[in-house]
Amino acid sequence: MRMNDIQTTAKNVVASDAKLEITQSKSTIGATPTHRETVRSLGLKRVGHTVVRDADAVTVGMLNSVKHLVTVEEAK
């Protein structure tokens, strides 16, 4: 998978040197407590909130576990 055109909710994100723009697209109400904590650890506070993070192994692992709650794009 190429990091150039990342727009994903169902695909796996891979670790690289890129910056990722992560947006919370769904509410954590009804999600498991672990998923709620993961979204919060990513720095997301509410639906529509966006943060920019490095695409390191830790961040990618968190994103792949909550991929149904977030949208990921490569930061420009």
Side-chain angles (χ1 to χ4, degrees):
M1 174 165 61
R2 296 183 58 197
M3 291 299 290
N4 295 346
D5 298 323
I6 280 191
Q7 170 75 32
T8 179
T9 54
K11 299 175 188 172
N12 287 335
V13 181
V14 293
S16 70
D17 294 333
K19 294 273 191 183
L20 300 177
E21 198 170 273
I22 308 160
T23 304
Q24 185 176 345
S25 58
K26 290 189 177 181
S27 173
T28 56
I29 296 173
T32 63
T34 305
H35 288 173
R36 261 184 260 148
E37 292 169 7
T38 302
V39 169
R40 193 75 173 134
S41 295
L42 285 167
L44 299 168
K45 300 181 181 198
R46 61 194 157 292
V47 175
H49 188 221
T50 302
V51 295
V52 176
R53 304 265 318 244
D54 290 327
D56 60 355
V58 174
T59 302
V60 167
M62 288 193 281
L63 288 173
N64 286 331
S65 68
V66 294
K67 59 189 165 194
H68 58 288
L69 298 174
V70 297
T71 304
V72 181
E73 299 173 0
E74 186 174 354
K76 308 238 182 222

